Amino acid sequence: MSAERAGREQRRLVEARDVRREYRLKGDLIEAVRGISLEVSAGDFLAIVGPSGSGKSTLLHLLGAVDSPTSGAIYLDGSDVTVMTDAERARFRLEHVGLVFQRFHLLPMLTALENVELPMAEAGLARKEREQRAKALLTRVGLGERLRHRPGEISGGQRQRVAVARALANRPALLLADEPTGELDQSTSAEMLELFQSLNEDGTAIVVATHDLQLAEGARRQMTLVDGKIRE
Amino acid sequence: MLIFRYSARELLRHPARSLLAVLGVAVACAMLLDMLMLGGGLNASFRSLLTSAGYELRVSPAGTLPFDTGATIGDASGVRLRLESEPGIDAVAPVLGSNLLIENSRGAGPDEGTDRLFVLGVDPAEQGIYRLTSGVDPDENGVVIGRELADTGLAIGDSISLRAPGSFAEAGRRTGSFRVTGVADFLYASSGERSAAVTLPTLAQLTDQPDRASLMMVRITEGENPDSVAAALRLRHPELEIASVGQLVETAARRLSYFRQLAAILGTVSLVVTTLLIGTIMAISINDRYGTIAALRAIGISKRSIVAAFLVESLLLCVLAAAVGLGLGLLVAGQLERILSDFPGLPSAIRFFVFEPDRLAWAAAGVLLAGVGAALVPAIRAMNAPIAATLHREEP
């Protein structure tokens, strides 16, 4: 391990302390996440696995400052996101966290290039710069030939690659992916794992919530969630 | 700009839906424009008509409006002189009006073989009743005829026989033969009305109304305020009804207030329709995209940017609709104007639908505001939906 990589990995990107998330569903109290503490360092690749309803997605949303915990504290890159306002958290996510969803959630009427440009436009990057960066990112995920294609004109695997490129648009240190291979076939899932591993090699910390054992086994470490708790 | 591109292309994603929305709002916009034109058009047109001849005041017998009744002002020449001597008065144009019969070649009885004709007695040197299109003003034995009469084949130089209605025995005394000296546009003639003008003394003699006038049109000195001059004259001439054009327009507006009420109600309805239509379309469109909205917010796109995208989408719909609707509104107004121009008793120069750029701007602004306002509600609702819960619902 190089000194540079070792230094990078010492940087703590995510620190969750006794995080709980409860919500009410038709009058019943649901404890989706029950007192989880974890850390994710720069260069980490963590796979959160567990059965459906175990709280994987909820935990991922909490780690990405998409949702707020009922109790506990979450530090992202040293900032306590639980005390941020809605707008502050949105800005924080835009600049520090990349998110990938099972269903891609690309804008169907925008091209791959424009979809990747979107977060950069929101961050205020000049048109020329964001276009250059979006082209580079799409080339990086193997879609250099599909820049002007719309999501409806490319395969599911390619769409997820566009979504990954979009997640990396503002050069986040942390990439969170919720069931990123859930809509993909086995061979495309394998390609996605390769892409994640390659991005991780380049220094992006990745946390994936997945049912996909192949993907989980490709991560540097795994964490199993059952009933909202980490199973030791 | 990316957000604008997104909004524009979103409209193309469901072309049929967008087209129907545009057409629906266009119809509402057309209706709004027409109602705005109708609401103020009649007043504007009436004011324009009354001031077109350059006389700012109207004098009629006390308790009447010009040509509202058959009442006349007695000692017309004396009244004229007294008014002309008042401060702030530049000129006075007396007018006497009466229905006469114009004899034609058909039949022979006292009223047989005749057509009705509205004849105005004027002082050709000072009148604001007609505008000559050819020929000259009438002399003692002359008559200026309107276009309607000219269209029957009468021409300058022809002779016509005019007779005041009455008993057969008096027919001879009330008949006169006149030579057509000119053809003119009669400013206050209603649609299809046959009009002619002779000198005031001639008509007074023919109708046995010596030295009387139905109306006096008064021109005030430049720089004077019409309402102030009218008020001063009223104090000194309580036997007369003296009104400025502005006051007459107000009176007419009161009488025709149902047009304004109709316009206000239908205009409001069209705005409500626009709001409901755009609100429904945008609500459907936004509901379809709850998952995407939540995902966009999750990746850090601000609420403001997403709301802006929806408002731009709604605005684009409304701009397209307004462009179509304003054109449609003008077209419909033209057709309605043709129908309403035959409204009995109203001068044909009166326009119900008057095009004014500010009306167009108000109609466009009304539709745009209603549309954008309508989109605001579903957009804000979507923005306030919890991101994580929405993603949970949307993701399998």
Side-chain angles (χ1 to χ4, degrees):
Chain A
M1 187 186 291
S2 69
E4 185 195 347
R5 183 172 176 82
R8 211 164 54 203
E9 288 187 3
Q10 281 173 358
R11 182 178 153 211
R12 197 174 292 164
L13 286 179
V14 180
E15 189 181 353
R17 288 186 202 152
D18 195 23
V19 172
R20 291 174 183 276
R21 181 68 172 102
E22 298 166 352
Y23 55 90
R24 289 206 169 267
L25 189 67
K26 294 178 181 171
D28 296 331
L29 184 70
I30 309 291
E31 293 177 281
V33 172
R34 300 196 280 183
I36 287 181
S37 297
L38 65 85
E39 289 175 7
V40 177
S41 301
D44 210 346
F45 185 176
L46 170 66
I48 303 171
V49 294
S52 290
S54 59
K56 299 190 298 294
S57 295
T58 305
L59 178 60
L60 205 71
H61 291 154
L62 291 169
L63 298 182
V66 172
D67 198 5
S68 296
T70 309
S71 66
I74 298 171
Y75 293 88
L76 291 181
D77 220 0
S79 305
D80 185 355
V81 292
T82 58
V83 296
M84 290 181 183
T85 64
D86 215 30
E88 285 168 346
R89 277 191 294 138
R91 192 73 196 175
F92 191 87
R93 289 194 300 269
L94 181 73
E95 292 170 350
H96 297 93
V97 182
L99 276 160
V100 176
F101 310 95
Q102 180 173 346
R103 287 199 166 160
F104 328 129
H105 289 302
L106 298 171
L107 298 181
M109 296 305 282
L110 295 186
T111 63
L113 194 69
E114 289 166 336
N115 266 290
V116 178
E117 277 186 57
L118 198 65
M120 293 187 259
E122 180 72 17
L125 258 71
R127 186 178 179 170
K128 202 167 180 178
E129 190 185 345
R130 66 180 195 238
E131 197 177 311
Q132 277 174 354
R133 201 193 284 185
K135 277 181 186 169
L137 281 166
L138 284 166
T139 305
R140 172 75 182 81
V141 299
L143 292 174
E145 305 298 311
R146 298 280 188 274
L147 301 177
R148 309 285 170 192
H149 285 66
R150 289 185 183 176
E153 297 163 348
I154 53 179
S155 69
Q158 289 171 329
R159 280 182 224 172
Q160 196 60 298
R161 284 167 180 271
V162 175
V164 170
R166 180 180 67 181
L168 298 172
N170 287 321
R171 295 175 178 157
L174 178 66
L175 180 70
L176 302 176
D178 190 6
E179 298 286 4
T181 57
E183 302 266 306
L184 308 180
D185 60 33
Q186 205 170 6
S187 68
T188 319
S189 296
E191 286 171 17
M192 191 54 62
L193 171 61
E194 279 175 29
L195 176 62
F196 281 144
Q197 285 173 330
S198 163
L199 292 170
N200 182 240
E201 282 298 316
D202 289 349
T204 307
I206 299 173
V207 179
V208 291
T210 185
H211 277 104
D212 185 341
L213 290 178
Q214 188 189 3
L215 178 62
E217 282 164 8
R220 288 178 187 274
R221 61 187 178 110
Q222 291 182 28
M223 189 181 88
T224 305
L225 217 60
V226 178
D227 290 335
K229 286 181 175 174
I230 297 171
R231 194 174 66 185
E232 299 298 338
Chain B
M1 286 310 286
L2 195 55
I3 214 84
F4 287 99
R5 234 180 295 163
Y6 166 63
S7 301
R9 289 191 204 156
E10 267 303 317
L11 292 179
L12 298 174
R13 197 146 75 100
H14 301 286
R17 190 161 80 185
S18 299
L19 181 67
L20 285 174
V22 165
L23 291 178
V25 176
V27 170
C29 180
M31 188 162 142
L32 178 63
L33 174 64
D34 287 348
M35 291 308 108
L36 283 170
M37 287 168 73
L38 178 66
L42 210 53
N43 282 0
S45 167
F46 193 50
R47 181 184 291 277
S48 163
L49 175 68
L50 291 182
T51 53
S52 63
Y55 294 87
E56 297 88 356
L57 306 183
R58 299 290 186 274
V59 179
S60 53
T64 71
L65 286 170
F67 289 118
D68 207 27
T69 68
T72 52
I73 302 167
D75 183 24
S77 51
V79 170
R80 182 183 187 182
L81 281 173
R82 285 197 291 281
L83 288 175
E84 280 175 339
S85 66
E86 292 285 354
I89 303 296
D90 195 30
V92 177
V95 182
L96 180 63
S98 182
N99 280 306
L100 296 185
L101 300 170
I102 174 170
E103 292 192 8
N104 56 36
S105 55
R106 300 189 306 269
D111 286 350
E112 302 238 343
T114 58
D115 286 321
R116 282 195 173 270
L117 178 69
F118 189 64
V119 180
L120 293 148
V122 299
D123 172 0
E126 193 63 64
Q127 63 84 21
I129 291 294
Y130 62 79
R131 283 204 190 97
L132 281 171
T133 55
S134 60
V136 295
D137 287 315
D139 54 20
E140 195 180 338
N141 298 309
V143 63
V144 164
I145 60 170
R147 283 179 191 273
E148 294 278 346
L149 215 50
D151 288 344
T152 64
L154 275 177
I156 294 172
D158 287 351
S159 287
I160 59 170
S161 182
L162 297 176
R163 174 160 64 86
S167 69
F168 187 76
E170 294 175 326
R173 186 163 61 82
R174 296 184 173 210
T175 304
S177 181
F178 299 89
R179 188 176 54 81
V180 177
T181 61
V183 177
D185 286 328
F186 282 78
L187 304 180
Y188 306 102
S190 58
S191 176
E193 185 182 63
R194 293 178 168 186
S195 304
V198 296
T199 63
L200 186 60
T202 302
L203 187 62
Q205 187 185 356
L206 206 59
T207 57
D208 197 19
Q209 299 181 92
D211 204 17
R212 300 196 80 84
S214 307
L215 159 78
M216 291 194 185
M217 296 167 75
V218 178
R219 182 187 298 127
I220 62 171
T221 310
E222 203 175 326
E224 293 284 350
N225 180 292
D227 290 338
S228 307
V229 175
L233 287 179
R234 272 196 296 274
L235 283 176
R236 286 192 288 275
H237 300 275
E239 76 284 7
L240 298 171
E241 195 69 39
I242 299 166
S244 68
V245 164
Q247 289 158 345
L248 287 173
V249 169
E250 272 175 37
T251 306
R254 275 198 297 277
R255 285 188 176 189
L256 297 170
S257 63
Y258 52 89
F259 275 108
R260 277 208 317 280
Q261 288 166 17
L262 183 81
I265 291 167
L266 293 181
T268 306
V269 166
S270 63
L271 280 176
V272 170
V273 168
T274 299
T275 308
L276 292 177
L277 209 56
I278 293 288
T280 306
I281 290 292
M282 289 307 295
I284 291 170
S285 172
I286 290 170
N287 282 348
D288 281 352
R289 288 180 274 169
Y290 254 63
T292 304
I293 293 166
L296 286 175
R297 287 186 56 207
I299 66 169
I301 307 298
S302 67
K303 284 183 179 183
R304 194 193 301 172
S305 294
I306 298 174
V307 169
F310 290 130
L311 294 189
V312 167
E313 208 171 304
S314 165
L315 192 69
L316 286 174
L317 268 181
C318 291
V319 166
L320 287 173
V324 177
L326 295 177
L328 184 67
L330 292 175
L331 203 71
V332 171
Q335 292 298 324
L336 289 173
E337 187 66 64
R338 265 189 277 283
I339 296 167
L340 289 170
S341 63
D342 290 334
F343 202 87
L346 272 182
S348 58
I350 288 281
R351 293 282 169 269
F352 285 80
F353 299 89
V354 174
F355 173 76
E356 288 168 303
D358 66 324
R359 309 266 159 195
L360 201 74
W362 276 113
V367 165
L368 296 185
L369 278 176
V372 170
L376 210 53
V377 178
I380 287 175
R381 227 185 64 211
M383 283 315 101
N384 288 327
I387 306 174
T390 310
L391 284 172
H392 271 303
R393 211 169 38 241
E394 294 288 325
E395 298 275 292

PDB file of all heavy atoms in Angstrom, chain A residues 36-55:
ATOM      1  N   ILE A  36     -27.051   2.116  15.284  1.00  0.00           N
ATOM      2  CA  ILE A  36     -25.893   1.700  14.481  1.00  0.00           C
ATOM      3  C   ILE A  36     -24.766   2.727  14.612  1.00  0.00           C
ATOM      4  O   ILE A  36     -24.988   3.934  14.537  1.00  0.00           O
ATOM      5  CB  ILE A  36     -26.299   1.511  13.005  1.00  0.00           C
ATOM      6  CG1 ILE A  36     -27.135   0.235  12.884  1.00  0.00           C
ATOM      7  CG2 ILE A  36     -25.076   1.457  12.096  1.00  0.00           C
ATOM      8  CD1 ILE A  36     -27.585  -0.086  11.491  1.00  0.00           C
ATOM      9  N   SER A  37     -23.560   2.215  14.786  1.00  0.00           N
ATOM     10  CA  SER A  37     -22.369   3.070  14.756  1.00  0.00           C
ATOM     11  C   SER A  37     -21.422   2.478  13.729  1.00  0.00           C
ATOM     12  O   SER A  37     -21.214   1.262  13.703  1.00  0.00           O
ATOM     13  CB  SER A  37     -21.682   3.091  16.123  1.00  0.00           C
ATOM     14  OG  SER A  37     -22.551   3.659  17.088  1.00  0.00           O
ATOM     15  N   LEU A  38     -20.908   3.298  12.880  1.00  0.00           N
ATOM     16  CA  LEU A  38     -19.937   2.798  11.892  1.00  0.00           C
ATOM     17  C   LEU A  38     -19.080   3.941  11.380  1.00  0.00           C
ATOM     18  O   LEU A  38     -19.418   5.116  11.541  1.00  0.00           O
ATOM     19  CB  LEU A  38     -20.630   2.072  10.730  1.00  0.00           C
ATOM     20  CG  LEU A  38     -21.547   2.835   9.783  1.00  0.00           C
ATOM     21  CD1 LEU A  38     -20.753   3.509   8.672  1.00  0.00           C
ATOM     22  CD2 LEU A  38     -22.537   1.873   9.136  1.00  0.00           C
ATOM     23  N   GLU A  39     -17.988   3.550  10.750  1.00  0.00           N
ATOM     24  CA  GLU A  39     -17.091   4.547  10.168  1.00  0.00           C
ATOM     25  C   GLU A  39     -16.749   4.126   8.751  1.00  0.00           C
ATOM     26  O   GLU A  39     -16.628   2.930   8.462  1.00  0.00           O
ATOM     27  CB  GLU A  39     -15.803   4.648  10.981  1.00  0.00           C
ATOM     28  CG  GLU A  39     -16.010   5.313  12.336  1.00  0.00           C
ATOM     29  CD  GLU A  39     -14.749   5.288  13.169  1.00  0.00           C
ATOM     30  OE1 GLU A  39     -13.695   4.877  12.637  1.00  0.00           O
ATOM     31  OE2 GLU A  39     -14.812   5.675  14.340  1.00  0.00           O
ATOM     32  N   VAL A  40     -16.611   5.099   7.910  1.00  0.00           N
ATOM     33  CA  VAL A  40     -16.151   4.850   6.536  1.00  0.00           C
ATOM     34  C   VAL A  40     -15.015   5.830   6.277  1.00  0.00           C
ATOM     35  O   VAL A  40     -15.173   7.038   6.455  1.00  0.00           O
ATOM     36  CB  VAL A  40     -17.277   5.069   5.501  1.00  0.00           C
ATOM     37  CG1 VAL A  40     -16.742   4.870   4.083  1.00  0.00           C
ATOM     38  CG2 VAL A  40     -18.454   4.145   5.759  1.00  0.00           C
ATOM     39  N   SER A  41     -13.875   5.271   5.903  1.00  0.00           N
ATOM     40  CA  SER A  41     -12.714   6.136   5.635  1.00  0.00           C
ATOM     41  C   SER A  41     -12.544   6.328   4.138  1.00  0.00           C
ATOM     42  O   SER A  41     -13.113   5.577   3.338  1.00  0.00           O
ATOM     43  CB  SER A  41     -11.445   5.494   6.195  1.00  0.00           C
ATOM     44  OG  SER A  41     -11.597   5.308   7.578  1.00  0.00           O
ATOM     45  N   ALA A  42     -11.739   7.305   3.812  1.00  0.00           N
ATOM     46  CA  ALA A  42     -11.450   7.556   2.397  1.00  0.00           C
ATOM     47  C   ALA A  42     -10.816   6.290   1.815  1.00  0.00           C
ATOM     48  O   ALA A  42      -9.992   5.646   2.455  1.00  0.00           O
ATOM     49  CB  ALA A  42     -10.511   8.738   2.260  1.00  0.00           C
ATOM     50  N   GLY A  43     -11.231   5.934   0.606  1.00  0.00           N
ATOM     51  CA  GLY A  43     -10.680   4.754  -0.047  1.00  0.00           C
ATOM     52  C   GLY A  43     -11.362   3.463   0.356  1.00  0.00           C
ATOM     53  O   GLY A  43     -11.040   2.393  -0.161  1.00  0.00           O
ATOM     54  N   ASP A  44     -12.338   3.550   1.253  1.00  0.00           N
ATOM     55  CA  ASP A  44     -13.063   2.359   1.716  1.00  0.00           C
ATOM     56  C   ASP A  44     -14.074   1.910   0.650  1.00  0.00           C
ATOM     57  O   ASP A  44     -14.507   2.705  -0.183  1.00  0.00           O
ATOM     58  CB  ASP A  44     -13.815   2.730   3.008  1.00  0.00           C
ATOM     59  CG  ASP A  44     -13.962   1.524   3.942  1.00  0.00           C
ATOM     60  OD1 ASP A  44     -13.719   0.394   3.470  1.00  0.00           O
ATOM     61  OD2 ASP A  44     -14.335   1.736   5.106  1.00  0.00           O
ATOM     62  N   PHE A  45     -14.422   0.628   0.690  1.00  0.00           N
ATOM     63  CA  PHE A  45     -15.478   0.098  -0.180  1.00  0.00           C
ATOM     64  C   PHE A  45     -16.277  -0.872   0.681  1.00  0.00           C
ATOM     65  O   PHE A  45     -15.866  -2.001   0.907  1.00  0.00           O
ATOM     66  CB  PHE A  45     -14.856  -0.587  -1.403  1.00  0.00           C
ATOM     67  CG  PHE A  45     -15.868  -1.075  -2.426  1.00  0.00           C
ATOM     68  CD1 PHE A  45     -15.434  -1.635  -3.630  1.00  0.00           C
ATOM     69  CD2 PHE A  45     -17.251  -0.969  -2.227  1.00  0.00           C
ATOM     70  CE1 PHE A  45     -16.332  -2.079  -4.595  1.00  0.00           C
ATOM     71  CE2 PHE A  45     -18.154  -1.408  -3.181  1.00  0.00           C
ATOM     72  CZ  PHE A  45     -17.688  -1.972  -4.369  1.00  0.00           C
ATOM     73  N   LEU A  46     -17.414  -0.355   1.176  1.00  0.00           N
ATOM     74  CA  LEU A  46     -18.214  -1.121   2.127  1.00  0.00           C
ATOM     75  C   LEU A  46     -19.504  -1.592   1.474  1.00  0.00           C
ATOM     76  O   LEU A  46     -20.201  -0.800   0.835  1.00  0.00           O
ATOM     77  CB  LEU A  46     -18.548  -0.225   3.339  1.00  0.00           C
ATOM     78  CG  LEU A  46     -19.572  -0.752   4.341  1.00  0.00           C
ATOM     79  CD1 LEU A  46     -19.053  -1.999   5.068  1.00  0.00           C
ATOM     80  CD2 LEU A  46     -19.940   0.335   5.358  1.00  0.00           C
ATOM     81  N   ALA A  47     -19.792  -2.857   1.653  1.00  0.00           N
ATOM     82  CA  ALA A  47     -21.073  -3.383   1.161  1.00  0.00           C
ATOM     83  C   ALA A  47     -21.960  -3.679   2.363  1.00  0.00           C
ATOM     84  O   ALA A  47     -21.542  -4.384   3.291  1.00  0.00           O
ATOM     85  CB  ALA A  47     -20.834  -4.653   0.353  1.00  0.00           C
ATOM     86  N   ILE A  48     -23.141  -3.085   2.342  1.00  0.00           N
ATOM     87  CA  ILE A  48     -24.115  -3.373   3.404  1.00  0.00           C
ATOM     88  C   ILE A  48     -25.102  -4.380   2.832  1.00  0.00           C
ATOM     89  O   ILE A  48     -25.775  -4.088   1.823  1.00  0.00           O
ATOM     90  CB  ILE A  48     -24.856  -2.094   3.844  1.00  0.00           C
ATOM     91  CG1 ILE A  48     -23.860  -1.023   4.306  1.00  0.00           C
ATOM     92  CG2 ILE A  48     -25.852  -2.398   4.952  1.00  0.00           C
ATOM     93  CD1 ILE A  48     -24.488   0.337   4.556  1.00  0.00           C
ATOM     94  N   VAL A  49     -25.129  -5.536   3.443  1.00  0.00           N
ATOM     95  CA  VAL A  49     -26.034  -6.580   2.946  1.00  0.00           C
ATOM     96  C   VAL A  49     -27.057  -6.918   4.023  1.00  0.00           C
ATOM     97  O   VAL A  49     -26.908  -6.534   5.181  1.00  0.00           O
ATOM     98  CB  VAL A  49     -25.265  -7.851   2.518  1.00  0.00           C
ATOM     99  CG1 VAL A  49     -24.377  -7.572   1.326  1.00  0.00           C
ATOM    100  CG2 VAL A  49     -24.420  -8.397   3.684  1.00  0.00           C
ATOM    101  N   GLY A  50     -28.054  -7.624   3.610  1.00  0.00           N
ATOM    102  CA  GLY A  50     -29.102  -7.999   4.558  1.00  0.00           C
ATOM    103  C   GLY A  50     -30.401  -8.227   3.822  1.00  0.00           C
ATOM    104  O   GLY A  50     -30.554  -7.791   2.666  1.00  0.00           O
ATOM    105  N   PRO A  51     -31.349  -8.883   4.489  1.00  0.00           N
ATOM    106  CA  PRO A  51     -32.623  -9.165   3.806  1.00  0.00           C
ATOM    107  C   PRO A  51     -33.431  -7.893   3.578  1.00  0.00           C
ATOM    108  O   PRO A  51     -33.130  -6.841   4.154  1.00  0.00           O
ATOM    109  CB  PRO A  51     -33.336 -10.092   4.794  1.00  0.00           C
ATOM    110  CG  PRO A  51     -32.715  -9.815   6.114  1.00  0.00           C
ATOM    111  CD  PRO A  51     -31.314  -9.401   5.857  1.00  0.00           C
ATOM    112  N   SER A  52     -34.455  -8.021   2.748  1.00  0.00           N
ATOM    113  CA  SER A  52     -35.345  -6.880   2.502  1.00  0.00           C
ATOM    114  C   SER A  52     -35.946  -6.407   3.815  1.00  0.00           C
ATOM    115  O   SER A  52     -36.318  -7.234   4.663  1.00  0.00           O
ATOM    116  CB  SER A  52     -36.486  -7.281   1.558  1.00  0.00           C
ATOM    117  OG  SER A  52     -35.977  -7.481   0.285  1.00  0.00           O
ATOM    118  N   GLY A  53     -36.027  -5.109   3.971  1.00  0.00           N
ATOM    119  CA  GLY A  53     -36.626  -4.556   5.186  1.00  0.00           C
ATOM    120  C   GLY A  53     -35.682  -4.538   6.370  1.00  0.00           C
ATOM    121  O   GLY A  53     -36.075  -4.217   7.490  1.00  0.00           O
ATOM    122  N   SER A  54     -34.417  -4.859   6.125  1.00  0.00           N
ATOM    123  CA  SER A  54     -33.471  -4.887   7.248  1.00  0.00           C
ATOM    124  C   SER A  54     -32.965  -3.484   7.598  1.00  0.00           C
ATOM    125  O   SER A  54     -32.318  -3.300   8.623  1.00  0.00           O
ATOM    126  CB  SER A  54     -32.285  -5.800   6.916  1.00  0.00           C
ATOM    127  OG  SER A  54     -31.643  -5.333   5.745  1.00  0.00           O
ATOM    128  N   GLY A  55     -33.248  -2.519   6.736  1.00  0.00           N
ATOM    129  CA  GLY A  55     -32.858  -1.133   7.024  1.00  0.00           C
ATOM    130  C   GLY A  55     -31.666  -0.644   6.207  1.00  0.00           C
ATOM    131  O   GLY A  55     -31.106   0.411   6.499  1.00  0.00           O
TER     132      GLY A  55
END
